[in-house]
Amino acid sequence: MWAPRWNELNWSSTLAAAGQIFFTLSLGMGIIQNYASYLKKDDDIVTSAVATAALNEFAEVILAGTIVIPIAFTFLGPEGLKSGVGLSFIALPNVFRTMVGGNAIGTLWFLLLFFAGITSSIAMFNYLVAFLEEQFGVERKKGSTVIFALYIAAGLPIALEPIATKTSELFYLTELDNWVGSYLLVVLGLIEIISAVWLFKEKGLEEINNGSYWKVPKWFYSIVMKLITPAFIIVLLVFSTIDYAKNGYLKVVPDFAKNYPNLIPWVFAARSVMVLVFLLSFILIYRALNNMQKNEAGGKQ
């Protein structure tokens, strides 16, 4: 379990690991900014950040690494660990079905999974509603209805695909996870770190240390946060993009879908949703920036 196998380490797996960490820490998706908007000026950011990262890694590496993965391997073998996004919904249910007290433990597992999902959904839901409310004057109830409808439209195919195709393959979710859950999270994380340390400059360090018990040293801010972190993310994105090309993810029909012609439309559906969300986000942000510029111009006059 803990013996490193360096020959299996590649850029795609490193990107997947980075995407997993970014996802569980709510980086690259606007949630951290949403949480930050509720902070007081003198709240301790450094301690909160260290505690959040430490508890998250304890849950993922210690609890999941020493309990969930070995159990799945014991009951299902190596193939049980290759199910990707199906680990929670395919591999583990089979484990619960064959273990003593599995019905009760499985119920508890999916209950916890539901709460994890619903709390994350509320966080992702809130900042979108707040964006419509603050930038375009949309009433909160109307904004909530619009965002909820968009969530349903984008997410419902995940539930419909196995019903419609009568298979356990989740190509719609797999394609979304490849790009949104891994690649784009890291891209947006790069934008976040550049914005935080390069655009805010020394003001960023002041905001981090204001009210914090532990102070981030200037050398750490200047060397690690400003140089090493963006450089590593850029290198990761460049080489993982090359790996994506080798693995066939960049093809019109990705390699993983070639043997399932009846499931290829689900891949295209996922890509269409991603393009539509990107275009809608771009238009809304562009209009919001224009409104801000008009308001600033009006204030100066």
Side-chain angles (χ1 to χ4, degrees):
M1 179 64 201
W2 300 106
R5 295 185 294 275
W6 301 111
N7 60 312
E8 296 183 13
L9 184 65
N10 54 51
W11 290 105
S12 294
S13 61
T14 306
L15 179 71
Q20 171 67 17
I21 294 170
F22 277 43
F23 177 79
T24 54
L25 292 176
S26 301
L27 299 174
M29 59 182 75
I31 293 181
I32 285 295
Q33 289 82 347
N34 180 41
Y35 292 157
S37 67
Y38 292 96
L39 291 176
K40 298 177 181 177
K41 186 174 179 61
D42 57 349
D43 279 340
D44 192 332
I45 296 176
V46 177
T47 303
S48 298
V50 172
T52 301
L55 288 172
N56 179 75
E57 293 313 299
F58 173 78
E60 290 197 342
V61 177
I62 303 302
L63 297 183
T66 59
I67 298 175
V68 177
I69 292 178
I71 289 175
F73 182 86
T74 300
F75 278 85
L76 304 172
E79 293 302 318
L81 301 179
K82 296 180 180 180
S83 53
V85 295
L87 182 63
S88 295
F89 303 101
I90 298 172
L92 285 178
N94 287 326
V95 172
F96 298 141
R97 187 173 58 184
T98 55
M99 66 186 294
V100 177
N103 290 337
I105 296 175
T107 300
L108 180 61
W109 160 258
F110 282 107
L111 182 63
L112 292 174
L113 196 63
F114 168 77
F115 281 116
I118 198 68
T119 51
S120 298
S121 297
I122 291 172
M124 290 187 286
F125 189 88
N126 183 65
Y127 71 83
L128 295 174
V129 175
F131 175 72
L132 294 179
E133 184 180 20
E134 295 174 7
Q135 300 298 328
F136 299 100
V138 179
E139 294 181 5
R140 191 165 185 82
K141 287 185 178 180
K142 292 182 179 178
S144 299
T145 303
V146 170
I147 298 301
F148 181 74
L150 291 174
Y151 269 20
I152 291 295
L156 191 58
I158 296 175
L160 295 179
E161 181 181 4
I163 298 174
T165 60
K166 293 181 175 57
T167 67
S168 60
E169 301 293 338
L170 301 171
F171 280 14
Y172 181 89
L173 182 57
T174 299
E175 186 69 0
L176 289 180
D177 186 60
N178 282 340
W179 294 103
V180 180
S182 297
Y183 192 89
L184 291 178
L185 278 186
V186 178
V187 171
L188 293 171
L190 175 63
I191 295 173
E192 286 182 354
I193 190 66
I194 290 175
S195 300
V197 300
W198 284 95
L199 300 184
F200 284 90
K201 299 181 180 179
E202 298 305 319
K203 182 66 176 176
L205 181 60
E206 293 177 13
E207 290 292 332
I208 292 172
N209 286 333
N210 185 34
S212 297
Y213 178 76
W214 294 328
K215 306 295 183 182
V216 174
K218 190 173 182 179
W219 66 265
F220 185 89
Y221 184 81
S222 301
I223 297 176
V224 177
M225 296 177 67
K226 186 174 284 188
L227 298 176
I228 295 178
T229 302
F232 175 76
I233 295 177
I234 290 171
V235 170
L236 173 61
L237 287 171
V238 169
F239 284 97
S240 60
T241 301
I242 296 173
D243 261 15
Y244 264 39
K246 291 179 180 178
N247 294 332
Y249 292 133
L250 300 179
K251 295 180 180 179
V252 176
V253 177
D255 286 352
F256 70 85
K258 282 185 175 180
N259 296 327
Y260 303 89
N262 61 315
L263 300 180
I264 292 176
W266 294 94
V267 175
F268 292 150
R271 292 178 177 179
S272 300
V273 167
M274 287 187 284
V275 171
L276 289 174
V277 169
F278 174 80
L279 292 176
L280 180 61
S281 302
F282 181 84
I283 293 170
L284 289 176
I285 293 172
Y286 179 79
R287 291 187 60 184
L289 290 174
N290 279 342
N291 290 340
M292 291 174 61
Q293 291 175 350
K294 290 179 182 177
N295 292 336
E296 289 177 0
K300 291 178 181 180
Q301 293 177 356

